[in-house]
Amino acid sequence: MSTAAKAARRALMWLGIILVVGYGALAAGVLTGATTLAPGLALDLAGGRQLTLQATTTDGSEVTQEDLEQAVEIIRKRVDASGTSEAEITTQGSNVIVVSLPGNPSDETIDLVRQSAQLQFRPVLNYQYSSWITASASASASASASASASATSDPTPSGSASAASNVVVGEASDEATPAASATAADPTASASASPSASASASTSTETSSTDAAAGTASDLAWLTDELQAEADALDCSDEANLGGADLGDPDAGHVACSEDGYYVYLMGPVELTGSDVASATSGPSYNSTGALTGEYEVVLNFTDEGTDIFDDITQRLIQLEEPQDQFAIMLDGVVISAPAVQVRISGGTASITGDFTQAEAQQLAAQLQFGALPLTLELQSNDNIPATLGQDQLEAGLIAGLIGLILVVIYSVFQYRALGLVTVGSLFLAGVMTFMAVDLLYWMIGYRLSLAGVAGLIVAIGVTADSFIVYFERVKDELREGKSLPAAIERGWKRAKRTILASDAINLLAAVVLYLLAVGSVSGFAFTLGLTTVIDIIIVFLFTHPVLVLLSRTKFFGGGHAWSGLDPRQLGRDSFYKGRGRTRSTETKTLAERKAEAANGADADAAAEAAKGGEN
């Protein structure tokens, strides 16, 4: 077997592996109920949920168009981050935002959209258990004598009710206090469990801590009797206090529940807001030697202005005792994290580490990244909506695609005869691979197919057929120049693949630009156009060319049969080169015709001899 044939077989084997692995994974997902066999459909084809949100500013000023546009952009990023695609986000009037989500979105996605999500950073003054935790501990004490010891004024809940506080580390300045080990600290732990409080709290230490906090947002003067009474009365088992809660006066002390509802935090005035956050990402945590620690971290980057403010905050907090060395990150009136500061951070980049799982780290990063809404959003309605286009339009689009496919097949068979069947097979495999990719994307990232996306798939039929036409015409050009079929295929492929790659690169570039700059249905069209362009390259390289190489070794195609599409007479040639200086005439004559020609030739010779004798 020749080298070209071996390479062709390997290419077909890799294509088979891709299809088997892809459809195997899809089958496993369908059997386990993790996904469906049919791709997900977008809002225009399947309907969904529509949220109407009324926007108001936090300071009572008039809502501007710029505020609305910024809010729409942040909501769009939140929706994209949740894995929901093909959502529609529009504005109505001067203060209404309408969010349409396809299919049946989860409650978490809906909550993420409607959160007013004002992000605030406040210093922690103190924390305590929520009233329902205290009540539970007291009930346990009255029910069992063995539990009476735990029913004190400072009851300790079960381990499941313990919310670990994380730590903040970063690039410390020269004056920074050396960081302690970046491990999670339990808020319920006693002061002796903290490295900063492992020794007895001397009078000089207390004085130093008080001096550092005096006149700042960490000053215990903010911890008034009224604030303490508010904390004692706050019921964190009430859902109303765990979302959309009052943000409080940014210039005064405030109380809020932790996200899990176990703790009440008493905090000082706001020192940073979401507008001071440039970005937030999550990932595995590494130690100073570059080795994985087995934990996850959230990396927080501040703006230039936020960097200076955070530098001042960390300088102050590292001098304070627990829990005043913590700052609370409050989103929509709920404390989502309260990390302790271990070093002065002057570079504008902080790393929050601790007992995060990967999902928790990703969620916190998303909350910090997209939490800086300039407006407070009040949910006005949450309704199911029907498909804006519906099944009829989808069927019409599919029929249009089928008609286009049939026309391409007819043209290919008419123009290339049996060689056109290679085009049909390539189009079929491209469709199989596209269906697999769209279905897997729906499972993995929630991608949904819109009518514009269907249009992109229909356009891909022409793009794919164009690649085959370029290749076949290059091969025919080489045959016209007198090359054998295997040589023509090899030479034609070298010429054609440059043209195919250049054409597909332009299509892919156009798709990427459209996807990045456009929104709504245009981005759906761009996505499927880019996807099918990549699949076109895979099919041409792993199927079309390898199959043509193997077919050239057969008698039907290699011999230039009249129905093969490679008949020399169709190419304007009189013979087919067969190697070693041999050719085969395109005129195939019967045995009787050849004998007649021989006889005619003999009679002509006899006549010539007779004429020559008469002259003598």
Side-chain angles (χ1 to χ4, degrees), residues 14 30 55 75 107 197 232 267 294 298 348 369 426 553:
W14 279 112
V30 172
I75 292 174
D107 292 338
D232 294 339
M267 301 164 289
V298 175
Q369 176 74 29
S426 300
R553 267 67 178 173

Side-chain angles (χ1 to χ4, degrees), residues 514-550:
L514 278 176
Y515 184 78
L516 293 178
L517 299 183
V519 296
S521 59
V522 178
S523 62
F525 171 83
F527 184 86
T528 53
L529 180 62
L531 176 65
T532 51
T533 299
V534 173
I535 291 176
D536 173 46
I537 296 174
I538 294 174
I539 293 298
V540 170
F541 276 76
L542 297 186
F543 180 78
T544 309
H545 174 58
V547 166
L548 201 57
V549 169
L550 296 177

Side-chain angles (χ1 to χ4, degrees), residues 352-365:
I352 304 177
T353 62
D355 63 341
F356 292 121
T357 64
Q358 182 179 8
E360 289 170 345
Q362 290 174 342
Q363 180 182 9
L364 179 58

Side-chain angles (χ1 to χ4, degrees), residues 162-236:
S162 173
S165 172
N166 302 301
V167 296
V168 178
V169 295
E171 296 182 0
S173 62
D174 295 337
E175 299 85 0
T177 303
S181 60
T183 57
D186 190 338
T188 64
S190 63
S192 61
S194 172
S196 62
S198 58
S200 60
S202 64
T203 304
S204 59
T205 302
E206 293 176 353
T207 303
S208 175
S209 177
T210 302
D211 291 342
T216 69
S218 296
D219 195 332
L220 292 179
W222 297 105
L223 194 57
T224 62
D225 293 338
E226 291 79 5
L227 194 68
Q228 184 62 57
E230 186 180 349
D232 294 339
L234 185 60
D235 182 10
C236 293

Side-chain angles (χ1 to χ4, degrees), residues 596-615:
E597 288 179 353
N600 291 336
D603 292 342
D605 290 341
E609 287 292 336
K612 188 181 295 183
E615 292 174 356

